[in-house]
Amino acid sequence: MSRELDRYLSRATRGLWGKAKRDARAELASHVFERTRALITLGLSESEAQHRALRELGSALTVSSELVRVHTAPLAVRSAALAALVTLAAFTGAATLTRGVAQVDAYVHNDPLNALAFLDVEGLRDALDRQGATLSASPQQVTVRLPGGETVQIPLPGGEDRELELIQRDGRAFLNATRFVYALEQAGLPLTLEGWHNPTLHVGETALQLGSKDAPLDAYALFNFTLSSLVLDLEERVPLVAQRWSNPGARSTPYTLKVNEAPGTVMGVAVAWEGVNFKPGRALLFTDVAPVAADGTVTLKLPPEYRNVRFTSDLNGVKRDIADLKSTARPASLGQAGQPAHAVLLKLTGRLGFTDQRYTLVPNADRLPSH
Amino acid sequence: MDANALRGHLDLILLATLEHAPLYGVRIIQEVQARTEGYFQFKEGTLYPALHRLEKQGLIVGELRPSDIGGPPRKYYHLSQKGRQELTRRQLEWQAFAQAMQAFGGTR
């Protein structure tokens, strides 16, 4: 295999894993082989033919971002589509602002179907500009060029999906915050998220404060997004459902835990869940994230019916619950009397990317009565 | 062809292309171009994510078969029962839409 082809296939399948990655790579390799043969019969040399076959396939970054969107991102989009009205929770003592960091206004779209956080594109452009990076936008995509020379493209879909990525409000354009972070991640950049209110996103040496005093953003969606690697670690393909978007009535069972972590540290929880309407064989991974309060406690919310929960630092308990849900033919009584749900408590590091550790499992936390 | 217009109809085009026989990526592209006389020219890289999406939705099924020109195995896609129903539904929907649009097409 030529270096050009190998590099293309690696870039085009970046962000996929396991079988999905192997299959997509083999399929694209087969495509290039077929097209190269056909072009050779038209009189092109082998290297010209392959070069043209790759050009026809289009940008590897676009292919990878579309493939990843199909294989992983729809989970996020689906939970967003089920999303309930967002009321930004007011947590205190959680902000960790970095001085001198450029601020970007945020907009939280309060449509019950699309409770998403967005970033002001002009603000983002100015903030990046001050950090030596540039942002350009066309109807098809947003392109970010970082000081190190890396280029990140964020394709913008047409049709109804477009509103999930880019919206217009009061004459300003806003870009989906998670999508922005996701694109940076796909480009293989080192990313760290810090703080809860108007969090700071570190992209290598570049630091951006997402949200501002007048147009604030809490880091719920972004920290929840960092939990997507749990699905990999559980080795179970289950859709993630974030608590905030899980049920329109905003009902849930809160658990308050005393943890040995500094105020502002962001904690997460994950449990297997069958969802609102029972469907045989379906298992979801219900998650919630919140910062540790000044008194060292954190309140995490679980599904409304979960009154019997065992907190554990062992992913196997969650795996078993998922397997049980997948094999049951009737609505389960998980999380209710007699069948405790296993919940893993996580400390989120704020690190994103495919190699960095995004969380650590937290053993034993004292549970305080909260319901 | 405007990319957005194509996107809106991509699923129907792909499902209809697979209606009569299983096909693999390169052949799907050729078939679409032949059937629309070159009207639809899509970036080929967008084909595979679309096929994978339809596969995940259970509308088409992929299957590896050896290549007859000595290359890597090809992934052939065929319609599932659900895909066939979805194709019929979309075709009816499209026909109704096209019929309604005739009134504005200036051909009467």
Side-chain angles (χ1 to χ4, degrees):
Chain A
M1 183 181 291
S2 74
R3 256 184 68 190
E4 185 187 21
L5 176 57
D6 188 46
R7 198 169 56 225
Y8 184 92
L9 295 175
S10 297
R11 294 183 76 198
T13 56
R14 181 183 275 172
L16 298 176
W17 70 84
K19 189 170 181 305
K21 188 184 187 81
R22 286 194 301 277
D23 288 355
R25 193 181 163 97
E27 191 172 27
L28 291 170
S30 162
H31 177 103
V32 174
F33 179 87
E34 301 272 343
R35 273 305 286 157
T36 303
R37 290 297 123 198
L39 291 164
I40 288 172
T41 63
L42 295 176
L44 269 65
S45 73
E46 176 148 8
S47 66
E48 283 169 348
Q50 189 188 77
H51 185 70
R52 174 134 166 227
L54 290 175
R55 215 177 54 208
E56 286 174 354
L57 266 175
S59 147
L61 268 177
T62 307
V63 175
S64 82
S65 97
E66 290 290 314
L67 282 174
V68 168
R69 192 208 290 262
V70 170
H71 288 279
T72 57
L75 309 179
V77 172
R78 222 177 293 141
S79 39
L82 294 169
L85 185 76
V86 167
T87 310
L88 289 179
F91 292 99
T92 52
T96 319
L97 300 183
T98 308
R99 250 180 236 151
V101 172
Q103 293 191 351
V104 182
D105 281 0
Y107 171 78
V108 177
H109 193 31
N110 276 341
D111 178 337
L113 288 178
N114 295 313
L116 300 172
F118 290 84
L119 301 171
D120 172 36
V121 173
E122 280 309 308
L124 199 55
R125 192 202 301 270
D126 289 348
L128 286 166
D129 193 45
R130 260 175 279 163
Q131 302 275 341
T134 64
L135 180 146
S136 55
S138 76
Q140 284 78 37
Q141 65 183 23
V142 172
T143 306
V144 177
R145 280 195 185 76
L146 292 155
E150 300 97 336
T151 302
V152 180
Q153 285 170 337
I154 307 168
L156 299 172
E160 288 176 5
D161 286 352
R162 197 177 179 83
E163 283 262 306
L164 290 173
E165 312 286 357
L166 188 75
I167 54 167
Q168 302 282 339
R169 286 294 177 276
D170 306 326
R172 294 161 80 184
F174 289 83
L175 180 68
N176 184 324
T178 311
R179 187 80 180 111
F180 173 65
V181 170
Y182 179 67
L184 298 176
E185 182 182 62
Q186 291 306 306
L189 299 169
L191 295 177
T192 314
L193 194 61
E194 190 188 342
W196 184 261
H197 283 297
N198 299 334
T200 302
L201 178 70
H202 298 271
V203 189
E205 298 299 307
T206 308
L208 299 173
Q209 187 189 309
L210 307 180
S212 63
K213 186 167 167 284
D214 296 331
L217 177 78
D218 78 0
Y220 187 92
L222 295 170
F223 272 107
N224 197 70
F225 173 67
T226 73
L227 278 181
S228 53
S229 67
L230 249 186
V231 177
L232 279 170
D233 300 335
L234 284 165
E235 296 167 331
E236 290 280 355
R237 294 298 292 269
V238 285
L240 284 178
V241 179
Q243 184 276 331
R244 191 179 275 182
W245 305 315
S246 63
N247 60 73
R251 289 190 310 126
S252 59
T253 304
Y255 284 86
T256 300
L257 305 163
K258 177 89 184 156
V259 290
N260 192 21
E261 303 293 344
T265 306
V266 180
M267 309 295 288
V269 69
V271 284
W273 189 44
E274 68 178 24
V276 176
N277 298 312
F278 176 72
K279 209 170 135 193
R282 180 176 66 185
L284 307 168
L285 192 66
F286 185 102
T287 60
D288 193 28
V289 293
V292 176
D295 64 358
T297 65
V298 62
T299 299
L300 294 159
K301 293 172 184 159
L302 292 178
E305 69 275 20
Y306 278 27
R307 299 281 167 170
N308 185 3
V309 174
R310 186 173 295 162
F311 283 89
T312 165
S313 59
D314 181 8
L315 288 179
N316 285 317
V318 181
K319 275 183 87 158
R320 278 197 299 276
D321 287 348
I322 291 172
D324 284 352
L325 287 177
K326 281 186 173 174
S327 64
T328 181
R330 283 181 316 218
S333 52
L334 189 63
Q336 294 157 58
Q339 199 189 351
H342 295 86
V344 277
L345 184 63
L346 312 152
K347 176 185 170 183
L348 304 184
T349 60
R351 281 200 289 273
L352 287 146
F354 294 98
T355 52
D356 285 338
Q357 198 176 22
R358 297 181 179 198
Y359 62 83
T360 53
L361 292 160
V362 179
N364 306 326
D366 293 330
R367 197 192 300 181
L368 306 179
S370 60
H371 63 271
Chain B
M1 181 68 197
D2 172 57
N4 284 342
L6 175 60
R7 179 182 279 272
H9 305 300
L10 189 55
D11 290 3
L12 170 59
I13 292 166
L14 292 177
L15 294 174
T17 307
L18 296 171
E19 187 177 8
H20 301 299
L23 294 173
Y24 58 96
V26 171
R27 285 282 295 115
I28 293 172
I29 291 166
Q30 289 168 349
E31 186 69 18
V32 170
Q33 286 176 350
R35 278 168 71 166
T36 64
E37 295 172 335
Y39 186 70
F40 284 121
Q41 298 276 348
F42 50 90
K43 268 278 179 211
E44 297 182 356
T46 61
L47 172 71
Y48 293 100
L51 288 170
H52 291 199
R53 182 168 45 76
L54 294 176
E55 191 180 19
K56 276 181 99 78
Q57 289 168 349
L59 301 177
I60 61 175
V61 180
E63 181 196 355
L64 283 183
R65 293 188 198 172
S67 156
D68 56 12
I69 57 166
R74 295 164 174 162
K75 190 172 178 186
Y76 280 77
Y77 293 92
H78 66 265
L79 287 187
S80 66
Q81 187 56 33
K82 185 178 164 194
R84 224 163 260 291
Q85 289 165 355
E86 180 65 13
L87 171 61
T88 307
R89 191 186 69 75
R90 282 177 185 257
Q91 281 172 330
L92 291 172
E93 200 176 79
W94 170 253
Q95 280 159 15
F97 175 72
Q99 213 167 12
M101 285 306 288
Q102 267 184 4
F104 306 101
T107 51
R108 287 188 178 179

